[in-house]
Amino acid sequence: MSESHLRRPDDSELRREWNTIDENELGIPRAAAERVVRGLNDALSGLYIAFNQVRKHYWTLEGPESGDVEGFLEDAADRLADLTDDLAIRVHALGGVPVNGPMGIRQHAPLRIEAGDVYDVRSALENDLDAYATLAVGFREHIETAIELGDETTVELLRGGIRTIEEDANRLEKYLADDSLATPATEP
């Protein structure tokens, strides 16, 4: 793949190179910080993907049930964006570079990117629930790594994030339990 589309400033302007870990002021050894950053970047990649998917569903939702669901999706995307910011700031504090841009997201992607098509409400919410489930599994793994490495701040950040993810997933499950949600038309 060509990198001609990338804008790369002069190396004299570079503060921290992608995919490297610098010393940090937190007192966390570089090897431990590297493991935590790798996990957080996986989580960030998933959050980016989930944010864009949820936001797309918010933009394209139609039908009689769209009112309440639309408001939920808008708020859920905002919560994903806030969580993304919190984890990215932590990655930087640990001496890493937060995942950013399509190549970094693809490198760390813990979940599949939904096709660009527009889906019925039920299918869209099922895809969102699947993304949230994948995020929750990853967050639990990253919490275990941070506990093992003694990074209590990251543990608390991830625990707060998983609470948000699980609360939103529970809300998605409630919407999906509603038999009135539109489903794809079936062929006779």
Side-chain angles (χ1 to χ4, degrees):
M1 173 180 240
S2 169
E3 292 189 17
S4 62
H5 63 284
L6 292 178
R7 184 185 89 69
R8 184 165 186 101
D10 186 82
D11 282 346
S12 65
E13 299 174 29
L14 185 67
R15 290 184 13 233
R16 190 175 293 165
E17 190 172 353
W18 166 248
N19 233 13
T20 63
I21 304 294
D22 289 347
E23 293 296 325
N24 62 71
E25 297 177 9
L26 306 174
I28 296 175
R30 184 179 282 182
E34 185 175 345
R35 286 184 59 201
V36 172
V37 164
R38 187 176 27 251
L40 289 176
N41 272 334
D42 288 351
L44 280 169
S45 179
L47 288 167
Y48 274 124
I49 293 167
F51 166 83
N52 283 295
Q53 178 176 301
V54 169
R55 185 65 85 190
K56 178 184 84 168
H57 296 158
Y58 161 68
W59 295 331
T60 60
L61 198 64
E62 297 177 336
E65 62 278 302
S66 63
D68 186 45
V69 177
E70 188 175 75
F72 165 74
L73 292 175
E74 181 178 23
D75 293 343
D78 290 345
R79 285 187 289 276
L80 290 170
D82 290 343
L83 185 52
T84 300
D85 288 342
D86 293 343
L87 295 188
I89 290 166
R90 185 65 181 165
V91 166
H92 181 72
L94 287 164
V97 177
V99 69
N100 61 82
M103 291 183 297
I105 292 168
R106 188 173 61 224
Q107 177 183 344
H108 287 271
L111 51 106
R112 297 178 68 155
I113 298 171
E114 182 182 85
D117 305 313
V118 174
Y119 301 96
D120 64 89
V121 175
R122 181 167 293 283
S123 296
L125 295 183
E126 287 171 347
N127 289 341
D128 292 342
L129 184 58
D130 186 51
Y132 276 87
T134 301
L135 287 173
V137 168
F139 269 57
R140 283 188 185 90
E141 292 171 359
H142 306 319
I143 288 168
E144 290 304 315
T145 299
I147 288 171
E148 174 189 331
L149 298 171
D151 183 356
E152 192 58 36
T153 301
T154 298
V155 170
E156 290 308 309
L157 197 58
L158 290 168
R159 282 183 176 154
I162 203 165
R163 277 190 295 275
T164 298
I165 288 166
E166 288 176 342
E167 287 169 4
D168 284 351
N170 287 335
R171 185 94 178 264
L172 286 167
E173 287 175 333
K174 287 178 182 173
Y175 286 127
L176 289 167
D178 183 353
D179 288 338
S180 70
L181 277 183
T183 57
T186 55
E187 296 289 323

